[in-house]
């Protein structure tokens, strides 16, 4: 898979993982059980959302606004935008206010989804996710849920979700597609602009389209 396809698949993977994760820990549970809950929640939600996209494909194609509303509502449920944004900002986020981090997080996610959200409707056949397993992250940072995206006529695509428990709710803070990290990809992309501009300026350029999240390198 070429790198220029990664953002579109990333959009799909982020969206497909989200809706029911908030119910993964309705009550306290042992660590091992909690990890299993996270993995099963990803699998169940992925299947449900991909089915919804197929069933409402004509509606979404006819009305992009409805598609964007659907995407945003699902992303807002359990994707930890602000925590992921702080990881992307890295040293540039040290001392940054929560408001600036949120501004950057929302601008980056919205830019990505506006450009690639429609790619969700182009997945052919009946794709499914297969749960491979889950394991604890180093330093008690959360869990890593490993899955494969299965599509007819294609090799399985590895998709890993890095998740942390926030007040009893599983939240995704990174997604790895074929080993390529959402956080690391954008950390590398935004390093140079953030050396020259403020967080607010970069967020503004993402909002108005002057800068694009997930821009493929030349020649890819």
């Amino acid at each position: 898979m070429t790198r220029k396809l990664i953002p579109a698949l990333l959009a799909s993977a982020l969206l497909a993982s989200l809706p029911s994760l908030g119910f993964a820990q309705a009550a306290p549970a042992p660590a091992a059980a909690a990890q299993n809950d996270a993995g099963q929640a990803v699998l169940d939600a992925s299947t449900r959302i991909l089915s919804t996209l197929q069933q409402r494909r004509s509606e979404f194609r006819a009305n992009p606004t409805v598609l964007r509303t659907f995407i945003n509502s699902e992303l807002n449920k359990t994707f930890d935008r602000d925590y992921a944004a702080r990881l992307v900002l890295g040293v540039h986020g040290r001392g940054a206010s929560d408001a600036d981090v949120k501004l950057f997080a929302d601008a980056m996610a919205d830019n990505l989804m506006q450009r690639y959200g429609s790619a969700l409707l182009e997945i052919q056949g009946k794709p499914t996710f297969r749960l491979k397993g889950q394991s604890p992250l180093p330093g008690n940072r959360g869990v890593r849920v490993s899955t494969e995206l299965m599509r007819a006529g294609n090799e399985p695509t590895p998709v890993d979700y890095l998740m942390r428990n926030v007040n009893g709710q599983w939240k995704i803070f990174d997604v790895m597609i074929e080993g390529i990290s959402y956080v690391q990809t954008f950390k590398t992309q935004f390093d140079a602009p953030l050396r020259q501009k403020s967080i607010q300026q970069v967020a503004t350029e993402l909002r108005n389209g002057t800068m694009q999240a997930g821009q493929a390198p030349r020649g890819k």
Side-chain angles (χ1 to χ4, degrees):
M1 178 177 296
T2 61
R3 283 180 177 267
K4 67 172 60 178
L5 295 180
I6 292 299
L9 182 54
L10 173 59
S12 175
L14 283 174
L15 179 60
S17 67
L18 298 181
S20 65
L21 295 180
F23 303 99
Q25 273 198 319
Q35 291 177 31
N36 290 335
D37 286 343
Q40 190 59 50
V42 166
L43 185 63
D44 292 346
S46 298
T47 301
R48 186 178 76 82
I49 292 304
L50 287 173
S51 295
T52 299
L53 289 169
Q54 289 180 335
Q55 292 168 5
R56 300 179 62 185
R57 181 174 294 172
S58 297
E59 176 189 359
F60 288 150
R61 280 178 172 165
N63 195 333
T65 299
V66 173
L67 175 61
R68 286 196 296 271
T69 299
F70 172 71
I71 290 173
N72 286 330
S73 67
E74 300 299 349
L75 280 177
N76 288 336
K77 290 180 181 178
T78 54
F79 181 55
D80 199 341
R81 290 191 188 193
D82 293 358
Y83 183 68
R86 282 203 177 274
L87 295 178
V88 170
L89 289 168
V91 296
H92 306 293
R94 292 177 184 172
S97 67
D98 289 344
D100 281 351
V101 172
K102 178 174 174 52
L103 185 70
F104 176 78
D106 290 346
M108 183 172 62
D110 291 347
N111 182 280
L112 182 67
M113 289 302 166
Q114 282 183 3
R115 295 175 62 219
Y116 295 104
S118 60
L120 300 171
L121 304 178
E122 304 309 320
I123 299 177
Q124 300 299 315
K126 295 184 178 181
T128 59
F129 277 87
R130 181 172 73 87
L131 179 63
K132 296 177 62 179
Q134 54 271 329
S135 57
L137 294 173
N140 198 32
R141 294 172 59 230
V143 298
R144 180 185 188 127
V145 176
S146 298
T147 73
E148 286 183 331
L149 176 62
M150 316 290 288
R151 294 172 295 163
N154 294 272
E155 291 294 321
T157 302
V159 182
D160 289 358
Y161 301 95
L162 274 57
M163 306 169 67
R164 66 183 191 134
N165 190 291
V166 181
N167 299 322
Q169 181 180 11
W170 285 111
K171 292 200 171 187
I172 297 168
F173 63 87
D174 196 5
V175 179
M176 302 182 71
I177 313 293
E178 294 187 332
I180 299 176
S181 161
Y182 164 93
V183 166
Q184 190 57 52
T185 295
F186 293 126
K187 184 175 183 178
T188 299
Q189 178 187 353
F190 290 113
D191 179 61
L194 287 167
R195 290 181 184 276
Q196 304 168 7
K197 305 170 185 177
S198 69
I199 293 175
Q200 299 96 317
Q201 288 174 314
V202 172
T204 297
E205 292 188 10
L206 282 168
R207 286 287 189 193
N208 62 29
T210 303
M211 187 181 299
Q212 301 289 358
Q215 186 68 53
R218 290 183 181 276
K220 298 295 184 180

